[in-house]
Amino acid sequence: MALVTNMMIAITCFVIYFRFNPVENSFQKHWKMFYLLFGLSTFFSGFGHMFFNYTGVYGKFPTWTLGLFSAFHAGKAMISLNVLSPKFYKVLMGLLYVKLLVFTVLAIALQSFIFVMADAVITYLFFCLGFGVYYWRKGLSSFKYTVLAVIVLIPSIFIFTLQYNPHLWFNKEDLSHVLMTTTVIFFYFGVIRLNQIDLDQLVSTKQLKYVRK
């Protein structure tokens, strides 16, 4: 069942990836990379679960690494709109690189998925939800889908920590995968509905603000 639900996420990501044609800006470029890497991550994850008795935890390393890199691109996409101050942008970029490096090393060295989960929590709660709310309040209404996407995913944290298994053939991981599929779809709704006119107006306001300073 883990193979089936992982393939469900992977196929959804690959379909969305090929719909990004052409890529119009850095925001879309990084989201496109997110879908490619997350799709590959869940694709390999299905086989990592299926052949766990043969590959052990080592079969999960490609999945974990790709998942960490996909989260990096999701975070980078959320700060690529040229709305933030240059100084704040550099701080956030540094955070993204440090987060990626530290959690990748810890996950592989200690052979623990907990660091992949921690990275995802920081990315989706701080970068996607936090900046999603910020942009939404600034007038970019498309980010309501980004906020909704993260809200849909939040129950996964409790599903894993509480070890909630609805059925023998539909456990905590399968339920989380269904939520993840819904989440990546809502992310896509937010990306394609970004109004360029509203974004240009917001960027112009930001630039005027810094000129006045």
Side-chain angles (χ1 to χ4, degrees):
M1 194 62 187
L3 175 65
V4 172
T5 53
N6 270 292
M7 289 303 127
M8 178 175 65
I9 303 173
I11 291 172
T12 302
C13 286
F14 292 146
V15 169
I16 293 175
Y17 170 80
F18 286 109
R19 291 179 68 89
F20 278 101
N21 190 23
V23 174
E24 298 180 357
N25 48 48
S26 295
F27 179 70
Q28 290 187 358
K29 180 186 77 172
H30 289 296
W31 274 116
K32 182 174 181 177
M33 284 301 301
F34 164 81
Y35 282 106
L36 174 62
L37 295 174
F38 196 65
L40 290 172
S41 172
T42 51
F43 176 81
F44 289 118
S45 178
F47 294 102
H49 283 289
M50 189 172 183
F51 298 109
F52 182 76
N53 289 335
Y54 300 95
T55 62
V57 71
Y58 301 104
K60 295 181 179 291
F61 286 173
T63 295
W64 294 353
T65 304
L66 289 166
L68 289 161
F69 274 89
S70 70
F72 170 83
H73 281 283
K76 194 168 183 180
M78 293 300 293
I79 63 173
S80 66
L81 298 181
N82 294 324
V83 175
L84 307 174
S85 70
K87 183 177 180 180
F88 189 36
Y89 174 80
K90 288 181 180 179
V91 171
L92 292 173
M93 279 302 304
L95 175 61
L96 283 172
Y97 280 112
V98 170
K99 180 174 68 68
L100 174 64
L101 177 62
V102 170
F103 284 128
T104 301
V105 171
L106 289 175
I108 301 301
L110 301 180
Q111 301 182 8
S112 175
F113 178 72
I114 191 67
F115 299 106
V116 181
M117 183 182 296
D119 179 84
V121 169
I122 294 173
T123 299
Y124 299 129
L125 290 185
F126 178 72
F127 286 93
C128 295
L129 179 62
F131 283 100
V133 171
Y134 174 77
Y135 294 138
W136 188 5
R137 293 183 63 182
K138 286 290 186 180
L140 300 177
S141 60
S142 64
F143 281 97
K144 65 184 177 183
Y145 294 102
T146 307
V147 173
L148 183 57
V150 180
I151 291 174
V152 168
L153 190 59
I154 286 176
S156 292
I157 301 173
F158 303 99
I159 291 170
F160 270 96
T161 55
L162 299 176
Q163 298 290 304
Y164 176 67
N165 295 298
H167 190 272
L168 177 64
W169 299 106
F170 192 79
N171 62 20
K172 63 183 185 300
E173 293 175 345
D174 302 322
L175 179 56
S176 294
H177 292 163
V178 173
L179 297 178
M180 287 179 191
T181 303
T182 307
T183 292
V184 297
I185 292 173
F186 276 115
F187 276 150
Y188 177 64
F189 287 162
V191 175
I192 63 171
R193 284 172 168 76
L194 179 61
N195 190 311
Q196 190 63 41
I197 295 177
D198 291 341
L199 178 58
D200 290 342
Q201 182 178 358
L202 184 59
V203 171
S204 297
T205 303
K206 186 269 293 187
Q207 291 172 341
L208 180 60
K209 173 184 175 183
Y210 290 118
V211 168
R212 286 177 177 173
K213 284 186 177 181

